[in-house]
Amino acid sequence: MVAHGNTVAGNEALVLGAKDRFPGPAFFGLAPYLVKTGIRSNLLGDGSIAHRLVESAIGVFMQSPETYARRMVPLLFAPELEGRTGLMFGHKSQPILPTRGFDGAYVDRYLSASEALLRRALTTTVT
């Protein structure tokens, strides 16, 4: 869960900070919540009882991949998004606010630390 939380935070930082660091493309964040995709097979064991139970419950209580796509694809091609970037959308295509505390200063620190880590990883030689 820690790794997942870091991934979510990193994605949010990219969406919010990319317009200043990577001008040109538009960046949007999508928060689909739980969707029955099988992605949890690595964590729960593909085809295990736990995996099948969790995926079945998600399939009953949450939206299907088809429903999510039906909601999101028109949004991603909406002309109103032209020239905009740094927006985030929830599971029903509604705009959502950044996580509390994810202000410009925090995003800058997060992305700077990520870039430093990437530079260190790329310059370290494996012996």
Side-chain angles (χ1 to χ4, degrees), residues 35-61:
V35 177
K36 184 179 177 180
T37 63
I39 196 169
R40 288 156 289 276
S41 65
N42 288 337
L43 175 66
L44 300 172
D46 191 23
S48 70
I49 299 254
H51 181 239
R52 290 189 311 225
L53 287 172
V54 167
E55 290 297 311
S56 294
I58 289 169
V60 170
F61 295 107

Side-chain angles (χ1 to χ4, degrees), residues 84-127:
R84 303 195 65 188
T85 188
L87 302 174
M88 297 184 294
F89 300 95
H91 69 291
K92 293 184 178 179
S93 301
Q94 78 280 21
I96 57 175
L97 297 173
T99 301
R100 191 172 41 148
F102 245 88
D103 59 12
Y106 184 82
V107 168
D108 188 53
R109 285 193 317 274
Y110 196 105
L111 291 178
S112 294
S114 297
E115 289 169 347
L117 180 63
L118 180 60
R119 273 194 294 284
R120 191 173 79 206
L122 292 174
T123 58
T124 303
T125 58
V126 178
T127 56

Side-chain angles (χ1 to χ4, degrees), residues 19-38:
K19 67 179 178 227
D20 299 323
R21 291 174 182 255
F22 311 107
F27 294 86
F28 301 101
L30 305 178
Y33 302 124
L34 291 173
V35 177
K36 184 179 177 180
T37 63

